[in-house]
Amino acid sequence: MSSAGIAASADPLFALAIGLLGALLGVLAELLITRTMPRLGGLPGIWTRITTAALTGVLCAALALRFGMDWSLPAFLVLGVLGVQLARIDFAHHLLPNPLVLALLVAGLALFVVSSTATAGWTELLRAAAGAAILFVVYLILAIISPSGIGMGDVKLAAPVGLYLGYLGWSQLFYGGALGFVVGGIFSFVLIRLNRAEKTSEVAFGPSMLAATLGLVLFTS
């Protein structure tokens, strides 16, 4: 996947359109999640809904600028839309719903298969599959060693995170996996200082994993 070719195809109007589409998809995803997962307690407050829709739109626009009209863009848009929803839910409920994590993994893999078929980029697809397996196993080992630090929801989320990072490259997989812990440490420190948590184990780790992943996706090539 040539970053020069991707950058050349990016267009501000295209990015704006994708951003608006992303905001709409974020709203629809939130409504669908509320209807299918009543245990989450219904729709969040209006300002939370506005914030998540705006953040989804900005992320999708940034992804459109990053990838342009590349075949892999739809897969990364799924990451933007579902990633925001997963982060919101984990932050509010300390829960990463299995259906959403599985949807992110399956949709990402399916769209990468389409991308690889269209571009004959089978190396990226194989690396993505390997990345999903590797990061899942790494997180599973860490959860076994320190169950109070990493939950099984984080272990399951490591599979789609590894899929996306692995698609980009081995270095992205390594640094993305490590950056998640750095972001998580900073996030925990801030919340503890603000008296929003008493110890690091009370801070949801999923948002940090997703933030690190999206940061690597947007700012590395």
Side-chain angles (χ1 to χ4, degrees), residues 30 39-45 48 52 84-97 187 191 196 202-207:
E30 202 161 56
R39 61 177 174 151
L40 297 179
L43 281 171
T48 298
T52 53
V84 169
Q85 294 301 319
L86 281 165
R88 173 186 67 80
I89 293 169
D90 197 24
F91 184 78
H93 303 283
H94 283 239
L95 175 70
L96 291 165
F187 189 45
L191 288 182
R196 299 287 296 275
E202 296 179 357
V203 179
F205 189 50

Side-chain angles (χ1 to χ4, degrees), residues 167-179:
Y167 184 84
L168 293 178
W170 293 116
S171 61
Q172 284 87 343
L173 178 65
F174 174 79
Y175 289 115
L179 185 60

Side-chain angles (χ1 to χ4, degrees), residues 109 112 116 121-133 163 166-167 170:
L109 181 59
F112 282 144
S116 297
W122 300 109
T123 300
E124 289 87 352
L125 179 62
L126 293 174
R127 191 174 59 228
L163 179 82
Y167 184 84
W170 293 116

Side-chain angles (χ1 to χ4, degrees), residues 73-168:
L73 176 62
F76 287 100
L77 293 180
V78 169
L79 173 63
V81 173
L82 292 185
V84 169
Q85 294 301 319
L86 281 165
R88 173 186 67 80
I89 293 169
D90 197 24
F91 184 78
H93 303 283
H94 283 239
L95 175 70
L96 291 165
N98 289 336
L100 282 185
V101 175
L102 183 61
L104 180 58
L105 177 64
V106 172
L109 181 59
L111 290 169
F112 282 144
V113 169
V114 172
S115 174
S116 297
T117 302
T119 62
W122 300 109
T123 300
E124 289 87 352
L125 179 62
L126 293 174
R127 191 174 59 228
I134 290 170
L135 207 60
F136 175 83
V137 170
V138 168
Y139 269 72
L140 180 59
I141 293 171
L142 291 174
I144 293 172
I145 295 173
S146 178
S148 62
I150 295 178
M152 287 307 300
D154 303 322
V155 173
K156 296 169 188 175
L157 181 61
V161 163
L163 179 82
Y164 281 95
L165 293 173
Y167 184 84
L168 293 178

Side-chain angles (χ1 to χ4, degrees), residues 27-66:
V27 171
L28 293 176
E30 202 161 56
L31 291 172
L32 182 60
I33 290 167
T34 300
R35 174 164 293 188
T36 57
M37 299 179 190
R39 61 177 174 151
L40 297 179
L43 281 171
I46 183 63
W47 289 112
T48 298
R49 300 205 302 272
I50 291 173
T51 301
T52 53
L55 179 58
T56 305
V58 170
L59 276 175
C60 288
L63 288 166
L65 286 173
R66 163 72 171 88

